[in-house]
Amino acid sequence: MNKVGFLDSRLLKSFYKVFSGVAATISFILLFCDIPKQHKIVTLICTLILLLIYYIGTWRKAKNQTSITLKFGESYVDVKFGDIFKSDKDDLKVISFNEYFDTEVGKRISPRTINGKFLEMNKNRISEIQSIIAKDEHLNQEMYVSTNEKRKQGNKKRYQLGSLVDLSNNYLAVAGSKFDSEDKANVTMREYIGFLLTFWNEVNRMYNNQSVVIPVFGSGILRFTDGYAGATGQDLLEIIIWTFKISRIKIAYPSRVKIVVFQNKSDMYNLYKLKEIEKDGL
């Protein structure tokens, strides 16, 4: 279920508007009509009960919400619970790799991550994927950072975080995390935001009027090394949406950005809260 507290501040704010409207309407009616004294308490109790029922209904609706659509200018962003691999076949699905675009599932890439699942699903295409990465001109000319000759296993070329490469079959790979000497995925929060801004520019270059489907980047095993270790999946989701908003790129309708939150983690997220970003930002 959607993580929305019973006394969620946004719910209370919305409810206060309804309560104020009801109070104003009743006050207006009482200017012209008198309620018999013996009925006033009953009327008050009935009104309060109806308002409580309304509030509980609104809370349950928010809690059971499984998707939400946000609008930024001409662009739409859908957020929903689900499975990225079950997205529409014509959508571009983005899979997060590390900065080396490693393809070996095991020590470096957990089979439980989206990256690992994708590689397991495409284990007969690994050599083809490696060839695509090695031959991509934009990736190797514009987004190349350095070569790590000290690396004993895995790819040696490092690429800028946010770099995109088309793996064909409507899948894109993005360099989404750095790897330390122990092959653990990590970034600083500054790097994470920089990654997202670069990523949106890359999406703008490549989306070709198709909808783009992404996960909540970093909500799995990504470690933040600059004091943001406590960043939650909700925090990361809000940052993803915020960076899209400030990037000013346009994914024109009917194309849209779709953010898929893993269904099993739905109780960690509050979709109701996201409307705030549409209106005011973080």
Side-chain angles (χ1 to χ4, degrees):
M1 278 191 181
N2 206 350
K3 183 183 178 181
V4 182
F6 185 71
L7 297 178
D8 184 277
S9 60
R10 289 153 292 277
L11 274 176
L12 291 172
K13 184 177 180 181
S14 176
F15 175 74
Y16 178 73
K17 292 179 180 178
V18 174
F19 178 81
S20 298
V22 170
T25 301
I26 292 175
S27 297
F28 179 78
I29 292 173
L30 290 177
L31 289 175
F32 306 97
C33 302
D34 247 348
I35 298 177
K37 188 175 181 180
Q38 64 271 26
H39 296 319
K40 284 185 177 180
I41 293 178
V42 174
T43 302
L44 175 63
I45 292 173
C46 289
T47 301
L48 292 176
I49 289 174
L50 288 174
L51 286 171
L52 179 60
I53 291 172
Y54 170 82
Y55 183 83
I56 292 174
T58 303
W59 169 68
R60 287 178 61 85
K61 181 180 179 181
K63 192 174 179 64
N64 293 323
Q65 189 172 8
T66 59
S67 65
I68 191 170
T69 297
L70 310 175
K71 188 173 185 293
F72 302 107
E74 299 175 13
S75 303
Y76 290 87
V77 176
D78 297 331
V79 183
K80 65 177 182 178
F81 299 129
D83 184 340
I84 191 171
F85 297 112
K86 294 180 181 179
S87 302
D88 295 342
K89 64 178 182 178
D90 294 329
D91 292 346
L92 288 175
K93 292 165 277 291
V94 181
I95 307 299
S96 183
F97 284 64
N98 60 41
E99 61 185 331
Y100 294 97
F101 286 102
D102 283 330
T103 55
E104 181 185 349
V105 178
K107 180 182 176 182
R108 293 175 185 79
I109 304 171
S110 169
R112 294 175 296 178
T113 62
I114 292 175
N115 185 196
K117 290 177 181 178
F118 170 78
L119 292 171
E120 287 286 286
M121 290 166 54
N122 291 272
K123 55 187 176 183
N124 296 327
R125 291 187 60 222
I126 297 301
S127 59
E128 177 190 347
I129 290 172
Q130 287 279 22
S131 177
I132 290 172
I133 292 168
K135 294 179 180 179
D136 189 280
E137 289 187 12
H138 174 78
L139 184 68
N140 287 281
Q141 292 179 13
E142 302 295 328
M143 312 306 284
Y144 169 77
V145 175
S146 65
T147 299
N148 185 356
E149 296 294 352
K150 294 181 180 180
R151 242 184 154 220
K152 296 180 180 179
Q153 293 180 310
N155 298 332
K156 296 182 183 296
K157 284 187 176 181
R158 293 175 57 239
Y159 299 93
Q160 182 177 337
L161 294 181
S163 306
L164 273 183
V165 57
D166 187 349
L167 300 182
S168 73
N169 298 329
N170 286 329
Y171 276 98
L172 303 177
V174 62
S177 65
K178 290 189 171 183
F179 256 29
D180 60 21
S181 59
E182 297 179 353
D183 287 331
K184 293 181 179 178
N186 67 86
V187 290
T188 65
M189 184 56 74
R190 182 185 293 272
E191 288 169 337
Y192 183 75
I193 293 173
F195 143 67
L196 288 168
L197 293 174
T198 299
F199 167 71
W200 291 124
N201 285 332
E202 288 280 272
V203 167
N204 194 43
R205 176 178 67 87
M206 295 184 66
Y207 84 97
N208 195 29
N209 294 320
Q210 291 175 269
S211 292
V212 179
V213 187
I214 66 173
V216 180
F217 295 120
S219 62
I221 60 174
L222 187 62
R223 298 168 179 83
F224 287 91
T225 59
D226 58 348
Y228 290 91
T232 65
Q234 177 78 24
D235 295 331
L236 301 183
L237 174 59
E238 292 176 19
I239 291 170
I240 289 170
I241 297 170
W242 173 71
T243 55
F244 175 78
K245 179 179 181 179
I246 66 171
S247 70
R248 302 295 184 183
I249 72 167
K250 294 180 181 179
I251 307 288
Y253 182 84
S255 301
R256 55 215 297 141
V257 173
K258 302 177 182 179
I259 305 175
V260 178
V261 179
F262 188 45
Q263 182 68 50
N264 290 358
K265 295 184 177 181
S266 61
D267 59 352
M268 298 170 59
Y269 292 85
N270 183 340
L271 301 189
Y272 185 76
K273 183 181 178 184
L274 300 179
K275 275 292 182 181
E276 289 185 352
I277 304 176
E278 182 183 56
K279 297 176 182 177
D280 308 313
L282 288 180

